[in-house]
Amino acid sequence: AQSVTQPDIHITVSEGASLELRCNYSYGATPYLFWYVQSPGQGLQLLLKYFSGDTLVQGIKGFEAEFKRSQSSFNLRKPSVHWSDAAEYFCAVGADQAGTALIFGKGTTLSVSS
Amino acid sequence: DSGVTQTPKHLITATGQRVTLRCSPRSGDLSVYWYQQSLDQGLQFLIQYYNGEERAKGNILERFSAQQFPDLHSELNLSSLELGDSALYFCASSVVSGGRSETQYFGPGTRLLVL
């Protein structure tokens, strides 16, 4: 069965420092991978997605993620964090069929210190 | 703004009651998904409709039901509500053109509080 693990429940990063949020997935075939962000009281906003091709994908707000099949990982990175990046981040996996439901990780809460 | 709208934003009701949550997908999207976000279970898929037909079911309770109407909006009905049903309910929509997983765009959610 598909599953997603986000090992870090809460991370605190200084403003201007780099960020890496970890995501590991379990899926037998080629996964479709997503990162969403949820600000307090808000819905889920898509940051980036990986379907195929280049394993390094660029997203909005300066985020990028790298798909590593050998490690079953899809970690999210940002070179310099801004205070407005404080939010909850969710990694999700979808099956390789059209229009299937997403399986989400438990999320990582990012706090940014000044 | 994702283009997915959900009403109401907040809902407070009592145990045993029934409520209806409404979702309008993005223009052109045929598929609607419902998810529940709670502190203990996280984000869980409930049910999916595609062009009016039920497509997939997840961890949806028998007390819950949904439908998608000809204009493609969807409603999630929750009945015999219990305290544990308090959660944030999200609707998402996608195109579903076949052959690959489509991006799902999420609405702002409906926060349900059962007292």
Side-chain angles (χ1 to χ4, degrees):
Chain A
Q2 298 164 296
S3 67
V4 176
T5 302
Q6 294 180 247
D8 305 305
I9 297 173
H10 191 189
I11 282 183
T12 298
V13 174
S14 298
E15 191 168 15
S18 64
L19 169 71
E20 182 168 28
L21 301 182
R22 296 183 291 164
C23 171
N24 292 98
Y25 67 89
S26 173
Y27 185 64
T30 302
Y32 290 83
L33 296 159
F34 305 82
W35 275 99
Y36 286 86
V37 61
Q38 183 180 24
S39 298
Q42 302 295 313
L44 293 163
Q45 182 182 23
L46 179 70
L47 282 176
L48 47 78
K49 61 191 177 188
Y50 172 77
F51 285 169
S52 65
D54 193 347
T55 57
L56 184 63
V57 292
Q58 302 297 320
I60 62 170
K61 304 185 180 188
F63 285 93
E64 67 177 27
E66 186 170 13
F67 170 60
K68 292 186 178 179
R69 185 187 299 276
S70 61
Q71 298 177 20
S72 298
S73 69
F74 188 57
N75 294 348
L76 182 71
R77 300 194 294 247
K78 186 170 185 178
S80 177
V81 167
H82 187 262
W83 63 267
S84 61
D85 293 324
E88 191 160 18
Y89 292 79
F90 293 93
C91 181
V93 64
D96 58 355
Q97 295 161 358
T100 58
L102 296 177
I103 306 297
F104 284 88
K106 295 287 189 186
T108 297
T109 299
L110 172 66
S111 297
V112 180
S113 61
S114 55
Chain B
D1 185 357
S2 67
V4 179
T5 60
Q6 289 187 249
T7 57
K9 260 190 122 168
H10 302 277
L11 203 46
I12 302 175
T13 188
T15 55
Q17 295 298 305
R18 173 189 168 97
V19 297
T20 298
L21 313 183
R22 183 188 167 105
C23 167
S24 292
R26 294 188 322 153
S27 177
D29 284 359
L30 298 178
S31 197
V32 169
Y33 311 76
W34 287 97
Y35 292 85
Q36 179 194 59
Q37 185 180 34
S38 62
L39 282 175
D40 52 345
Q41 298 291 326
L43 263 162
Q44 289 207 313
F45 166 67
L46 295 179
I47 196 165
Q48 178 198 1
Y49 275 79
Y50 173 71
N51 204 20
E53 302 286 329
E54 183 183 301
R55 180 84 172 248
K57 257 184 174 177
N59 298 323
I60 188 166
L61 300 171
E62 285 195 13
R63 301 183 283 109
F64 295 1
S65 65
Q67 54 184 326
Q68 186 179 27
F69 294 87
D71 67 351
L72 301 177
H73 91 272
S74 177
E75 293 181 355
L76 179 67
N77 301 296
L78 315 176
S79 61
S80 303
L81 285 166
E82 302 175 1
L83 296 178
D85 297 326
S86 296
L88 191 51
Y89 291 85
F90 284 112
C91 168
S93 73
S94 70
V95 174
V96 186
S97 58
R100 61 184 296 170
S101 187
E102 301 284 350
T103 299
Q104 293 180 28
Y105 294 90
F106 283 75
T110 293
R111 186 168 295 279
L112 173 66
L113 180 59
V114 182
L115 299 175

